[in-house]
Amino acid sequence: MAELDELDQALLRELQRDARRTNRELAAATGVSPSTSLERVRSLRERGVIRGYRLDLDFAKIGRPVQALIALRVHPPKRQVIEAFREWVALLPETVGVFVVTGGEDFLVHVAVPDNDALYAFVIDRLTQRPEVADVRTSVVFEHIRPRVIAPAKRNA
Amino acid sequence: MAELDELDQALLRELQRDARRTNRELAAATGVSPSTSLERVRSLRERGVIRGYRLDLDFAKIGRPVQALIALRVHPPKRQVIEAFREWVALLPETVGVFVVTGGEDFLVHVAVPDNDALYAFVIDRLTQRPEVADVRTSVVFEHIRPRVIAPAKRNA
DNA sequence: GGTGAAACTCACCAGAT
DNA sequence: ATCTGGTGAGTTTCACC
């Protein structure tokens, strides 16, 4: 885990609200000079705390208003089978996220599609096509909330 | 759904790879002048296609290496109960995402915590504290893959 | 809609504390 | 480690196509 002082945390808070804020704005918001905030943000990126800067797209506005989470198991649940399925499903155009999990299922596949027909087709034509796929259970997603700011864990000092 | 021509789609592709690419880079990559790409990106944002620019944080590096998806039902499953729980759970510091779903469960809560103890405490101290929470089922997340680029649906022209 | 140039703002690198 | 100032890029506007 990376060391994060108050300034690092403040910069992360600001950038989570809007990842395109200028360095000068960041400096003003955190009360340091632009060169300091620039150096800190660069360090956060080099240390891998910041993995990148992503677009937040409205799936409905790009023609994919129907979202679902598809829980499934693969058979047999061996490493090779799991990894092959993971690579395959992550590259499908409908897929917007893949959780590899323990418990009742092996995968939760998050998809966004144009309509219910496309969802049904995805499940019965694409997924069920794969021989290793078993126990498919589809849940339609009504809403997906993502907190705007995620804080670092308190340190055990 | 928004109308997206080839240029809009190309700009969305570029921005999804790196939401902080400069306008000049976007213009060069898409073969238009900087003022054109600036105007297009602005339009995408005003139309709500682009909802914002987010940081991609490494949860492990901020002291929260353990992720889980907690499926649960609320009782009774009425609008008021569901909405109250949704608002409450979305604001917990452990929560990094909330899916409101149909099917076997009502919610899938995505959390990131420092260790297994914190996960266990979250489930039995926090969630179970709420009287409306029933049928809690926890899955540990080994891996969460998010495709770097998500394409708009093909239009039914 | 798209372009090109001008004015403004910013990122980035020094050098010093 | 942080700040102040300076220079080269980048952003943004606007008149024109």
Side-chain angles (χ1 to χ4, degrees), chain A residues 1-2 4 12 15-23 47-64 69 86 90-91 95-105 108 110 114 137 139-148 150-153, chain B residues 1-2 4 12 15-23 47-64 69 86 90-91 95-105 108 110 114 137 139-148 150-153:
Chain A
M1 166 179 176
L4 300 171
L12 289 178
L15 279 172
Q16 282 186 90
R17 288 188 223 280
D18 177 3
R20 290 203 62 145
R21 295 186 69 176
T22 66
N23 184 56
R47 287 187 284 164
V49 179
I50 296 173
R51 300 204 297 186
Y53 304 92
R54 292 278 192 84
L55 260 200
D56 184 6
L57 283 183
D58 187 322
F59 291 149
K61 294 250 168 72
I62 60 171
R64 298 165 66 171
L69 279 164
R86 181 189 61 187
L91 291 176
T95 302
V96 297
V98 180
F99 295 93
V100 186
V101 297
T102 60
E105 289 93 13
L108 262 95
H110 183 193
R137 207 164 47 83
S139 299
V140 173
V141 174
F142 283 134
E143 199 178 359
H144 182 199
I145 306 163
R146 289 177 66 86
R148 42 245 135 257
I150 293 161
Chain B
M1 164 180 179
L4 301 171
L12 290 177
L15 279 172
Q16 282 186 90
R17 289 189 223 277
D18 178 4
R20 290 202 65 146
R21 295 187 68 174
T22 67
N23 186 53
R47 287 187 283 163
V49 179
I50 295 172
R51 300 203 298 188
Y53 304 92
R54 292 276 193 84
L55 261 200
D56 184 6
L57 283 182
D58 187 320
F59 291 148
K61 294 248 168 73
I62 61 172
R64 298 166 67 171
L69 279 165
R86 180 190 60 187
L91 291 176
T95 302
V96 297
V98 180
F99 294 94
V100 186
V101 297
T102 60
E105 289 93 15
L108 262 96
H110 183 193
R137 206 163 49 83
S139 300
V140 173
V141 174
F142 283 134
E143 199 178 0
H144 182 200
I145 306 162
R146 290 177 64 87
R148 41 246 134 255
I150 293 162

